[in-house]
C-alpha cells in the first residue's frame, strides 16, 4: 500500500542519513559532483529535468569549465534561451565569466566562426537568437555582428518576415543602445512595410514596430510624430491583446516616456503606473521587465522632487537588475547614475559618493577606463569630493577626467 510520511518524519530521516550528529556525513561538493555525473550520462540531452539540474549541479560542485563546455553546445543554448530558462542561462554565464574561465561571447563566437551548427537547424534562426542573447548581455558590438550574419543568411531565402524581424532587432540596437536614431528609424520603416504587406496594417507586429518607431521619434526629438505613431500602436495592441498584455504595457511605457520628456509629469506617471501594474501581473515583482518601469518611475519622481518615492523605486529596480542581470550590466549602471542625481539633489554627499564609485567601477568594466561615460562620472565624483571638503581627491578626479578628454 501507499506509505504516508509526515514532513517531520521525512526531515528526521534525511537528517539521520546525511549527518552524523551535528556533522555532515556526506561532503556537499561530492554529492553535487555525483548528481552532475548522473545527469551528464542521461541520453535525452534536452529533457526538462536535465536542463534544470545539470547546470545547477555543475555550478554547485565548482566544475565551471565543464559547465561552460556544456552551455557552449548550441543545442543546449537553443533549449535554454527561452522565457522559462533565459535568466538562469545568463546567471550561469555570469558565474563563469566572474571566475575568468571564459565568456559567452568568446565561446558562441567560436562556434559560429567554425560553422558548428546543430544538424537540421535553421542557421539564420539560430544566429538571430544568439544575437538577441548577446544583446541581453550588453555585448552590443557582437550582437550587431551576429544580427547582420543572420540577415545575410535570410537574404538567400524568401522568408521576408524573418528578415523584417532581424531589421527590427538591428533598429532597436542602433537606437536604444547606440543612439543612432536616424538609422534606426529607416530600418523600422522598412520592417513595418513588410509586416503591413504580409500581415495587414492592424497586426500585432505592426503595433510592435510602431511602438519602437515612436520611441525612436521621441529620442530624436520629433514628439509630434512620436505621439501619432504611439497612439496608433496602443490602439492596435488594445484591440488585439487587451489591456493586460505585456506588449500593451510596452506602448504605455513609451507613451509615458514621451510625456516625461515633454514635462507632462502627471500624464507620464499615469502611463508608467498602468504599465507597471500590467508587468507586475504578467511577470511578478522580481523580473527585469517590471524593474524597467519602476526605474523610469524613479526618474520621474526625481524630476517631481518626490525624493522618498524616487529612492524606493530606484533601490527596487537596482536590486532586481543586479539579481537578474548581474552587477556589471548597462541597466545596472543606468540606475546607479540616476541614484547619484537623487542624492546630489538632496546634498546627501556620502550616499552620492558611495553610489558614484559603484557606477564608476561598473562603467569601467562595461566601456573601458577611457570612455567618455567614465569621464563624466569621474567629474561627478570630483564635484562630490569638493562638496565634502576633500579638495585633494577632487583634483585627482579632475586630473583623470582631463586625461580621458
Amino acid at each position: 500500500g501507499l506509505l504516508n510520511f509526515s514532513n517531520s518524519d521525512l526531515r528526521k530521516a534525511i537528517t539521520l542519513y546525511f549527518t552524523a550528529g551535528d556533522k555532515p556525513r556526506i561532503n556537499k561538493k561530492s554529492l553535487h559532483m555525483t548528481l552532475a555525473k548522473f545527469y551528464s550520462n542521461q541520453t535525452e540531452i534536452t529533457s526538462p529535468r536535465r536542463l534544470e539540474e545539470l547546470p545547477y549541479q555543475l555550478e554547485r560542485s565548482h566544475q565551471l569549465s565543464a559547465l561552460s563546455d556544456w552551455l557552449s553546445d548550441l543545442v543546449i543554448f537553443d533549449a535554454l534561451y527561452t522565457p522559462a530558462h533565459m535568466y538562469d542561462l545568463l546567471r550561469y554565464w555570469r558565474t563563469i565569466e566572474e571566475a575568468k574561465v571564459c565568456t559567452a561571447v568568446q565561446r558562441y563566437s567560436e562556434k559560429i566562426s567554425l560553422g558548428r551548427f546543430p544538424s537540421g537547424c535553421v542557421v539564420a534562426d539560430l544566429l538571430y537568437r544568439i544575437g538577441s542573447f548577446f544583446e541581453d548581455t550588453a555585448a552590443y558590438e557582437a550582437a550587431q555582428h551576429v544580427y547582420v550574419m543572420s540577415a545575410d543568411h535570410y537574404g538567400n531565402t524568401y522568408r521576408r518576415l524573418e528578415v523584417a524581424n532581424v531589421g527590427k532587432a538591428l533598429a532597436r540596437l542602433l537606437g536604444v543602445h547606440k543612439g543612432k536614431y536616424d538609422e534606426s528609424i529607416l530600418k523600422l520603416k522598412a520592417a513595418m512595410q513588410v509586416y503591413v504587406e504580409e500581415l495587414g496594417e492592424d497586426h500585432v507586429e505592426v503595433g510592435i514596430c510602431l511602438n519602437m518607431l515612436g520611441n525612436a521619434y521621441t529620442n530624436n526629438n520629433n514628439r509630434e510624430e512620436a505621439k501619432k505613431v504611439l497612439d496608433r500602436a496602443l490602439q492596435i495592441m488594445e484591440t488585439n491583446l487587451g489591456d493586460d498584455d505585456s506588449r500593451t504595457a510596452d506602448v504605455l511605457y513609451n507613451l509615458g516616456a514621451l510625456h516625461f520628456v515633454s514635462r507632462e509629469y502627471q500624464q507620464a506617471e499615469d502611463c508608467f503606473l498602468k504599465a507597471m501594474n500590467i508587468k507586475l501581473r504578467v511577470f511578478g515583482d522580481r523580473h527585469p521587465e517590471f524593474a524597467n518601469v519602476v526605474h523610469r518611475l524613479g526618474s520621474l519622481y526625481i524630476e517631481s522632487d518626490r525624493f522618498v518615492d524616487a529612492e524606493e523605486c530606484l533601490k527596487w529596480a537596482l536590486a532586481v537588475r543586479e539579481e537578474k542581470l548581474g552587477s556589471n550590466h548597462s541597466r545596472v549602471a543606468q540606475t546607479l547614475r540616476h541614484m547619484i542625481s537623487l542624492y546630489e539633489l538632496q546634498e546627501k554627499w556620502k550616499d552620492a559618493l558611495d553610489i558614484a564609485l559603484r557606477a564608476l567601477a561598473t562603467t569601467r568594466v562595461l566601456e573601458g577606463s577611457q570612455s567618455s561615460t567614465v569621464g563624466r562620472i569621474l567629474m561627478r565624483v570630483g564635484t562630490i569630493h569638493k562638496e565634502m571638503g576633500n579638495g585633494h581627491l577632487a583634483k585627482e578626479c579632475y586630473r583623470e577626467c582631463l586625461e580621458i578628454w
Side-chain angles (χ1 to χ4, degrees):
L2 179 67
L3 294 176
N4 186 18
F5 295 97
S6 70
N7 289 337
S8 60
D9 288 337
L10 283 172
R11 184 167 58 253
K12 289 177 182 177
I14 291 169
T15 300
L16 286 172
Y17 181 78
F18 285 108
T19 65
D22 294 329
K23 298 180 180 179
R25 186 192 299 272
I26 299 176
N27 180 275
K28 285 186 178 181
K29 183 178 178 180
S30 298
L31 182 60
H32 288 300
M33 291 179 70
T34 300
L35 289 169
K37 184 177 180 181
F38 169 77
Y39 286 109
S40 294
N41 291 332
Q42 288 191 337
T43 56
E44 190 178 351
I45 63 172
T46 58
S47 69
R49 188 62 183 270
R50 189 173 190 263
L51 289 173
E52 289 184 2
E53 287 289 343
L54 181 53
Y56 174 78
Q57 301 301 340
L58 288 171
E59 180 190 36
R60 297 294 290 177
S61 58
H62 309 296
Q63 299 182 78
L64 297 184
S65 181
L67 177 59
S68 69
D69 290 342
W70 187 73
L71 294 175
S72 299
D73 186 327
L74 294 181
V75 173
I76 300 300
F77 167 81
D78 205 36
L80 285 177
Y81 191 55
T82 62
H85 298 296
M86 64 180 291
Y87 290 108
D88 289 330
L89 177 63
L90 289 165
R91 183 178 64 80
Y92 289 132
W93 273 116
R94 193 161 66 243
T95 300
I96 292 165
E97 291 171 5
E98 287 173 354
K100 302 188 183 305
V101 176
C102 62
T103 71
V105 171
Q106 289 171 346
R107 297 303 292 269
Y108 292 135
S109 295
E110 287 170 6
K111 296 281 185 178
I112 292 169
S113 65
L114 294 171
R116 292 180 178 173
F117 299 103
S119 176
C121 82
V122 178
V123 172
D125 288 349
L126 187 54
L127 286 170
Y128 175 77
R129 287 165 57 72
I130 294 171
S132 179
F133 173 78
F134 285 170
E135 188 177 352
D136 285 339
T137 62
Y140 301 127
E141 293 299 329
Q144 184 174 353
H145 176 68
V146 178
Y147 280 143
V148 170
M149 290 181 66
S150 176
D152 290 342
H153 278 78
Y154 281 132
N156 298 321
T157 72
Y158 294 100
R159 300 175 65 182
R160 295 185 72 212
L161 288 173
E162 284 76 8
V163 174
N165 288 340
V166 178
K168 186 173 66 179
L170 278 167
R172 179 182 60 244
L173 193 149
L174 288 168
V176 174
H177 302 303
K178 294 194 170 186
K180 298 180 179 180
Y181 301 116
D182 291 331
E183 292 180 49
S184 178
I185 288 167
L186 287 174
K187 287 188 178 295
L188 286 169
K189 285 182 175 179
M192 189 166 64
Q193 183 177 347
V194 174
Y195 293 135
V196 170
E197 291 172 357
E198 296 288 329
L199 303 171
E201 62 182 13
D202 295 322
H203 195 274
V204 168
E205 285 295 342
V206 175
I208 293 172
C209 213
L210 284 168
N211 183 41
M212 294 175 66
L213 192 58
N215 184 51
Y217 280 136
T218 297
N219 289 318
N220 214 27
N221 205 30
N222 189 345
R223 297 174 192 173
E224 183 178 349
E225 197 64 26
K227 184 67 164 63
K228 184 167 66 176
V229 297
L230 287 172
D231 283 343
R232 175 64 180 138
L234 186 61
Q235 181 187 29
I236 291 172
M237 294 310 194
E238 288 181 338
T239 300
N240 286 277
L241 305 172
D243 57 3
D244 208 28
D245 187 277
S246 177
R247 289 162 291 184
T248 303
D250 290 338
V251 184
L252 287 166
Y253 176 89
N254 282 338
L255 274 168
L258 174 61
H259 288 303
F260 179 59
V261 298
S262 303
R263 297 186 177 277
E264 298 165 349
Y265 294 144
Q266 187 56 59
Q267 295 96 316
E269 183 179 13
D270 291 343
C271 288
F272 287 147
L273 287 174
K274 287 177 184 176
M276 184 188 72
N277 287 327
I278 294 171
K279 296 288 187 180
L280 179 61
R281 290 192 292 271
V282 174
F283 296 113
D285 63 3
R286 305 299 299 180
H287 194 281
E289 292 274 347
F290 177 76
N292 291 344
V293 188
V294 174
H295 165 89
R296 202 58 189 263
L297 264 174
S299 303
L300 172 65
Y301 292 147
I302 291 175
E303 293 296 322
S304 306
D305 294 336
R306 294 166 59 180
F307 297 133
V308 174
D309 292 333
E311 184 172 24
E312 182 180 356
C313 287
L314 292 174
K315 281 186 172 180
W316 188 274
L318 180 64
V320 175
R321 286 177 164 183
E322 286 187 320
E323 176 188 336
K324 298 298 184 181
L325 304 174
S327 58
N328 293 322
H329 194 278
S330 59
R331 291 191 173 179
V332 171
Q334 178 193 47
T335 302
L336 288 170
R337 290 195 299 271
H338 281 72
M339 292 181 75
I340 300 171
S341 299
L342 170 67
Y343 293 129
E344 285 175 334
L345 287 168
Q346 299 176 84
E347 299 185 359
K348 293 183 176 181
W349 302 117
K350 185 180 184 306
D351 291 333
L353 180 60
D354 290 343
I355 292 295
L357 292 175
R358 288 175 63 185
L360 184 62
T362 298
T363 307
R364 278 175 167 155
V365 171
L366 289 170
E367 301 182 16
S369 296
Q370 299 301 307
S371 79
S372 59
T373 310
V374 167
R376 287 192 292 272
I377 297 173
L378 275 168
M379 180 64 72
R380 298 179 76 175
V381 173
T383 301
I384 293 167
H385 276 308
K386 183 179 178 182
E387 292 291 342
M388 296 177 72
N390 302 325
H392 64 294
L393 294 175
K395 288 180 181 179
E396 181 64 24
C397 289
Y398 296 149
R399 184 188 61 77
E400 288 186 53
C401 288
L402 290 174
E403 291 177 357
I404 294 172
W405 293 337

